[in-house]
Amino acid sequence: MEPKFLALDQEKQDRILNAAMEEFAGNGYKNTSTNTIVKKAGISKGLLFHYFSNKKELYLKIYDYFVDLFLSEVQEKVDWEDKDIFNRHRQMASLKIKLFYQYPNVFNFLNAAFTENAQDLRGELESRRERFINHNYREMLQDIDMSKFREDMDVSKMIEIISWSMEGFAYKQQAKFKGLSLDEMDLEETLQELDRYIEVLKYSFYK
Amino acid sequence: MEPKFLALDQEKQDRILNAAMEEFAGNGYKNTSTNTIVKKAGISKGLLFHYFSNKKELYLKIYDYFVDLFLSEVQEKVDWEDKDIFNRHRQMASLKIKLFYQYPNVFNFLNAAFTENAQDLRGELESRRERFINHNYREMLQDIDMSKFREDMDVSKMIEIISWSMEGFAYKQQAKFKGLSLDEMDLEETLQELDRYIEVLKYSFYK
DNA sequence: TTTGTATTGACCAATCCGGTCAATAGGAGT
DNA sequence: ACTCCTATTGACCGGATTGGTCAATACAAA
């Protein structure tokens, strides 16, 4: 990210980042107007182009910034010694929720970036995608303690079902949080709710 | 749908419908150009506007057409006497796959329509959404035989996990089918693969 | 008052798009 | 071969929108 931009106070940075991500996530690259972004962020057009030299750079800088932020967070905060698949998922969920509090549209934005196919971004994005998916799910689920699973069912299918459940839960939570203010969202409560699903899965799939 | 349009031979109809759905699904309403649709469908611009009076009508007519098609199919083909949740899901999956063969983008289109927020469509779409979600998931999962579930876990959570797994499976299959020709996709094989996941879930959640 | 930086927003050239319509193609009937 | 009618074409246009610029202003510090 540009040093000029990073010198801004955090609140203004976040206003701009969130405005841009919300628009990009909701409308795609091409159909997002810089006019809308500046209006939503409460800054002038000129200022946006003072920080980012053009729309394409705005998009890619934000993309890189958050991929880095998230991946380094994961690398750093996850306890890689713990080989229990549910604990791994729970830790990831916790990180995601924390990031979600500050940037409610990061994951929508990153998901959208995954299916984005604007001409201007082709190539630039394509080379970046692999990194993200490799890191996110491969690394996370490798090195798992398989011996805990019941032996009368297909382990890989159980693992898939667990992932799908985590995604389903995340999606459900996000819909629930839509439109709520920050202090109405309770991290602990959400994690406890998640634990109840984990309980069901653990009880079903573990020995 | 316009009678003029329905008088076309099926193959041309489908070419137009699929082209439109693919574009609308991938780029959203506003960012979809009728120029692209006609190019992809292999017809002239004039002809499209001969069948559909304008872009908005094109979108909504297609939406209504496929919602009706799918819902009536469900109403008609599902065996409502069978109260087993897995059989219900399996039947729904079978219907979806069949429709997917003829219209590979119906569900992408309908999903996109669900989050579409173009100014021109607001209101028109909003009033239509409720109907779809009510029918699709409420009706499908009501009237289920709960007595088959284990009693030491939360039934509603198991039901959610089952739904999330079906969605995850569908998503995975669709990614797998991406770019394949019709005759490379095998309905029976897909259903058998689905059955293996159902087996795991049934074994875990049923008494 | 001066100087230097942060910020504004009117402005513009370029692009693109939905929709029209005069013209043509092509088939059926005679 | 000719007529008639419908199906289909695609060049064309007014209007809307956009990314990006830049001269002007606001503001803070000295």
Side-chain angles (χ1 to χ4, degrees):
Chain A
M1 203 73 77
E2 304 298 310
K4 258 182 297 185
F5 178 76
L6 293 172
L8 283 173
D9 50 308
Q10 191 71 38
E11 190 269 339
K12 198 170 188 177
Q13 273 184 51
D14 288 357
R15 239 169 48 222
I16 297 173
L17 293 173
N18 280 325
M21 288 197 286
E22 185 178 342
E23 286 302 300
F24 281 135
N27 309 314
Y29 177 79
K30 196 166 166 227
N31 199 36
T32 289
S33 162
T34 51
N35 297 319
T36 320
I37 294 178
V38 299
K39 219 176 293 164
K40 192 167 275 184
I43 59 167
S44 71
K45 187 89 164 283
L47 199 57
L48 183 69
F49 285 94
H50 179 63
Y51 295 132
F52 301 91
S53 55
N54 55 47
K55 187 182 173 185
K56 181 178 168 184
E57 185 191 293
L58 170 66
Y59 189 95
L60 291 173
K61 281 269 159 64
I62 293 181
Y63 180 87
D64 287 336
Y65 179 73
F66 282 103
V67 168
D68 287 346
L69 186 67
F70 181 61
L71 291 188
S72 62
E73 194 84 344
V74 167
Q75 200 54 251
E76 188 183 319
K77 300 272 176 63
V78 168
D79 173 12
W80 295 101
E81 294 308 308
D82 191 336
K83 311 294 189 192
D84 183 282
I85 190 174
F86 293 109
N87 292 342
R88 283 274 170 86
H89 272 296
R90 194 184 191 282
Q91 287 181 75
M92 289 284 289
S94 171
L95 291 179
K96 282 186 178 182
I97 296 170
K98 274 178 199 147
L99 197 53
F100 178 87
Y101 282 156
Q102 193 174 1
Y103 303 104
N105 285 285
V106 218
F107 298 108
N108 287 335
F109 171 73
L110 291 176
N111 280 338
F114 220 81
T115 56
E116 177 62 64
N117 59 351
Q119 201 62 42
D120 301 10
L121 298 174
R122 283 236 184 90
E124 300 276 7
L125 262 188
E126 220 141 283
S127 59
R128 284 162 161 91
R129 288 196 241 261
E130 203 182 336
R131 175 160 170 249
F132 189 55
I133 201 166
N134 269 2
H135 200 109
N136 198 3
Y137 285 102
R138 199 145 315 177
E139 179 141 343
M140 146 132 207
L141 293 179
Q142 257 173 1
D143 198 22
I144 282 298
D145 184 356
M146 304 287 199
S147 69
K148 296 181 171 180
F149 285 92
R150 289 165 59 160
E151 275 141 9
D152 50 358
M153 291 189 295
D154 183 337
V155 177
S156 67
K157 289 200 169 45
M158 290 189 272
I159 291 179
E160 276 180 289
I161 289 173
I162 293 169
S163 283
W164 293 336
S165 299
M166 296 298 109
E167 283 162 25
F169 179 78
Y171 191 79
K172 183 186 167 195
Q173 282 298 314
Q174 209 184 334
K176 197 165 132 190
F177 284 169
K178 192 97 189 175
L180 259 60
S181 69
L182 275 187
D183 50 340
E184 292 177 282
M185 306 184 285
D186 186 333
L187 171 62
E188 274 316 309
E189 190 187 314
T190 303
L191 281 179
Q192 278 170 28
E193 179 74 4
L194 175 63
D195 284 334
R196 283 183 222 115
Y197 288 92
I198 289 181
E199 233 173 87
V200 171
L201 289 164
K202 197 182 276 188
Y203 196 69
S204 302
F205 293 160
Y206 270 6
K207 281 174 191 166
Chain B
M1 203 73 76
E2 304 297 310
K4 259 182 295 183
F5 178 76
L6 293 173
L8 283 173
D9 50 309
Q10 190 71 38
E11 190 269 340
K12 198 169 190 176
Q13 273 184 50
D14 288 357
R15 241 169 47 222
I16 297 173
L17 293 172
N18 279 325
M21 287 197 286
E22 185 179 342
E23 286 302 300
F24 281 135
N27 309 314
Y29 177 80
K30 197 170 165 220
N31 199 35
T32 289
S33 161
T34 51
N35 297 318
T36 320
I37 295 178
V38 299
K39 220 175 294 164
K40 192 166 274 184
I43 60 167
S44 71
K45 186 87 165 282
L47 198 55
L48 183 68
F49 285 95
H50 179 62
Y51 296 132
F52 301 91
S53 54
N54 54 46
K55 189 183 173 184
K56 181 177 169 183
E57 185 191 291
L58 171 66
Y59 189 96
L60 291 173
K61 280 271 159 63
I62 293 182
Y63 180 88
D64 287 336
Y65 180 73
F66 282 104
V67 168
D68 287 344
L69 186 67
F70 180 60
L71 291 189
S72 62
E73 195 84 343
V74 167
Q75 199 54 250
E76 188 184 320
K77 299 271 178 64
V78 168
D79 173 12
W80 295 102
E81 294 307 309
D82 191 336
K83 311 292 189 194
D84 183 281
I85 190 173
F86 293 109
N87 293 342
R88 282 275 169 88
H89 272 296
R90 195 184 191 280
Q91 288 182 75
M92 290 284 288
S94 171
L95 291 179
K96 282 186 177 181
I97 296 170
K98 274 178 198 147
L99 196 53
F100 178 86
Y101 282 157
Q102 191 174 2
Y103 303 104
N105 286 285
V106 218
F107 297 109
N108 287 336
F109 170 73
L110 292 176
N111 280 338
F114 219 83
T115 56
E116 176 63 64
N117 59 350
Q119 201 63 43
D120 302 10
L121 298 174
R122 283 234 184 93
E124 300 275 6
L125 263 188
E126 221 141 282
S127 59
R128 285 162 161 91
R129 288 197 239 264
E130 203 182 336
R131 176 161 169 248
F132 190 55
I133 201 167
N134 269 2
H135 201 111
N136 198 2
Y137 285 104
R138 199 144 314 178
E139 180 142 341
M140 144 130 208
L141 293 180
Q142 257 174 2
D143 198 22
I144 283 297
D145 184 356
M146 305 285 198
S147 70
K148 295 180 172 182
F149 284 93
R150 289 166 57 160
E151 275 143 8
D152 50 357
M153 291 189 296
D154 184 336
V155 178
S156 67
K157 289 200 169 45
M158 291 189 272
I159 290 179
E160 276 180 290
I161 289 173
I162 293 168
S163 283
W164 293 336
S165 299
M166 297 298 109
E167 283 162 24
F169 179 78
Y171 191 78
K172 183 186 166 195
Q173 282 298 314
Q174 209 184 333
K176 198 165 132 192
F177 283 169
K178 191 99 191 175
L180 260 60
S181 69
L182 275 186
D183 50 341
E184 291 176 283
M185 305 184 287
D186 186 332
L187 172 62
E188 274 316 310
E189 191 188 314
T190 303
L191 281 178
Q192 277 169 30
E193 179 73 4
L194 175 62
D195 283 334
R196 283 184 222 114
Y197 288 92
I198 288 182
E199 231 174 89
V200 171
L201 289 165
K202 197 183 278 188
Y203 196 69
S204 302
F205 292 162
Y206 270 7
K207 280 175 192 164

